[in-house]
Amino acid sequence: RNKEHLEGKFIGDLHYTKDGTPIMIIGHHILYGKVVELEKPLVTLEKTVSEADIDTNNMMDVDQALESRTEYRVKSIIFKKIMFKTRPKPIIVMNKAGDS
């Protein structure tokens, strides 16, 4: 719908119960999930472009000095994910009988 990026924005709070069940609280809604092992691990990479190391004493061609080298570095390997299958449930706060 909206083409606005969600990167770096606050979505909600992620908590775990004492037995390890993940709970996501988004506004006035709560979602219950479960931790699932991935069939194949997921790798996140970071692309870096650096200038090639060139010996300037033996430089024969000017174009050679403009060459760059692309590297991909492994940032993390993900083995598990959190799945939220059910619809969000509203959080309802019940007042005590003595409170008004």
Side-chain angles (χ1 to χ4, degrees), residues 51-99:
E51 295 183 16
D53 296 331
I54 298 172
D55 186 9
T56 55
N57 296 333
N58 297 330
M59 189 167 46
M60 301 293 279
D61 190 7
V62 176
D63 293 335
Q64 214 175 23
L66 301 176
E67 288 183 18
S68 61
R69 189 172 77 200
T70 304
E71 295 179 349
Y72 294 93
R73 296 184 181 169
V74 175
K75 295 296 281 183
S76 62
I77 301 174
I78 302 167
F79 296 99
K80 298 178 184 180
K81 67 178 177 179
I82 301 174
M83 295 221 8
F84 296 96
K85 286 187 174 181
T86 58
R87 291 178 138 285
K89 297 176 184 172
I91 299 173
I92 302 171
V93 179
M94 302 294 283
N95 289 334
K96 294 181 182 177
D99 295 341

Side-chain angles (χ1 to χ4, degrees), residues 14-16 21-24 32-36 38 80-85:
L14 179 64
H15 301 278
Y16 289 90
T21 304
I23 297 174
M24 181 79 150
Y32 295 96
K34 66 178 181 175
V35 178
V36 178
L38 294 173
K80 298 178 184 180
K81 67 178 177 179
I82 301 174
M83 295 221 8
F84 296 96
K85 286 187 174 181

